[in-house]
Amino acid sequence: QVQVVESGGGLVQPGGSLRLSCAASGRFFSIRAMDWYRQAPGKERELVAGITSGGRTNYAGSVKDRFTISRDNAKNTVSLQMGSLKPEDTAVYYCHIQTSGALGGLRDYWGRGTQVTVSS
């Protein structure tokens, strides 16, 4: 059982910056990957950025070079530094955690989401 809690959302002006954080707690063997998804009104949830335990990252094309994902394996946290924010970045952002067991079994957990609004 794993609990996932996001923080850091809010209202930001276009061109501004915001940092989202996510913490995982509970009982698990290890965290294989930590990801940020977002869902705007009327749209499907989409992957924004992800990072593996080894530090490999991937980004959606729309945020590449503007957002940076990072993780602290010792603290079981992941952050998303967002810069040059645009109105189209407005969405609920969700933290996704994929844990692995000792033999490689995978489980997925989601946070409740945090609202990011980019508007003047």
Side-chain angles (χ1 to χ4, degrees):
Q1 185 68 31
V2 176
Q3 291 73 235
V4 181
V5 180
E6 306 103 329
S7 63
L11 175 64
V12 188
Q13 294 185 354
S17 300
L18 199 65
R19 185 178 182 89
L20 305 182
S21 297
C22 173
S25 62
R27 297 179 63 84
F28 52 86
F29 180 76
S30 65
I31 297 177
R32 192 186 80 90
M34 308 181 88
D35 311 286
W36 286 97
Y37 286 74
R38 69 185 180 187
Q39 187 167 23
K43 301 187 68 175
E44 296 290 326
R45 186 174 298 186
E46 64 173 345
L47 177 66
V48 178
I51 185 168
T52 69
S53 61
R56 296 189 301 274
T57 61
N58 66 288
Y59 298 90
S62 59
V63 307
K64 187 175 177 62
D65 300 324
R66 296 191 298 120
F67 293 8
T68 301
I69 188 170
S70 61
R71 66 185 289 172
D72 186 330
N73 290 335
K75 297 180 179 179
N76 294 323
T77 60
V78 60
S79 296
L80 185 68
Q81 181 66 49
M82 305 183 293
S84 300
L85 285 163
K86 306 174 181 179
E88 51 262 45
D89 294 318
T90 296
V92 177
Y93 284 70
Y94 297 90
C95 181
H96 165 253
I97 305 296
Q98 186 174 70
T99 64
S100 62
L103 299 180
L106 303 178
R107 293 184 182 273
D108 296 283
Y109 301 90
W110 293 87
R112 295 178 61 187
T114 184
Q115 177 71 47
V116 173
T117 302
V118 184
S119 176
S120 59

